[in-house]
């Protein structure tokens, strides 16, 4: 039986491949499509991608600290992460131009999303 460390390391190639596929799909969206509704009620496509990037940037310690800052309201913490990523980077530009997107997504942000490959 594989150790937990081996099992976790085995999943990363799949995570990176899925992130690369997502970036490929997103790279064809125009500005209107980025701001269009997603399948997540009340969220645009841009919001969903910002959420994915925020999650990719989150460390265990960062999660606890931001949860405390959000007064232990998970939904508030999530909304703040989406706003932070929407404002911190130009996700559509980074993905459409792939400016380091694949380089960084593996480790963290859009770059986290992008770095997957």
């Amino acid at each position: 039986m594989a150790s937990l460390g081996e099992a976790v390391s085995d999943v990363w190639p799949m995570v990176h491949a899925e992130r690369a596929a997502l970036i490929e799909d997103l790279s064809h969206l125009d500005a209107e499509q980025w701001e269009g509704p997603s399948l997540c009620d009340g969220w645009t496509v841009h919001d969903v991608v910002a959420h994915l990037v925020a999650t990719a940037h989150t460390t265990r310690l960062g999660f606890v600290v931001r949860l405390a800052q959000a007064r232990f309201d998970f939904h508030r913490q999530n909304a703040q992460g989406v706003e932070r990523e929407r404002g911190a980077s130009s996700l559509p530009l980074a993905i459409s131009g792939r400016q380091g997107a694949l380089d960084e997504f593996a480790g963290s942000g859009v770059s986290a999303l992008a770095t997957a490959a």
Side-chain angles (χ1 to χ4, degrees):
M1 181 173 195
S3 72
L4 179 58
E6 291 170 338
V8 170
S9 67
D10 288 347
V11 75
W12 285 110
M14 289 183 288
V15 169
H16 296 304
E18 290 301 319
R19 287 176 175 174
L22 177 59
I23 289 169
E24 174 60 28
D25 290 342
L26 294 171
S27 70
H28 304 289
L29 300 182
D30 61 29
E32 186 176 331
Q33 291 169 313
W34 269 95
E35 296 310 321
S38 73
L39 295 177
C40 299
D41 191 36
W43 284 31
T44 66
V45 171
H46 196 162
D47 293 334
V48 172
V49 175
H51 169 73
L52 294 173
V53 171
T55 301
H57 279 140
T58 301
T59 63
R60 283 178 245 174
L61 178 59
F63 174 81
V64 172
V65 168
R66 289 207 166 108
L67 187 59
Q69 291 170 336
R71 298 182 301 235
F72 298 96
D73 181 329
F74 179 76
H75 297 292
R76 178 181 290 130
Q77 178 198 26
N78 188 42
Q80 290 170 344
V82 169
E83 279 306 309
R84 186 173 50 255
E85 292 303 330
R86 278 187 63 103
S89 64
S90 176
L91 294 172
L93 176 61
I95 288 176
S96 67
R98 301 210 178 132
Q99 300 173 343
L102 287 173
D103 307 333
E104 193 184 318
F105 195 34
S108 50
V110 145
S111 305
L113 266 182
T115 310

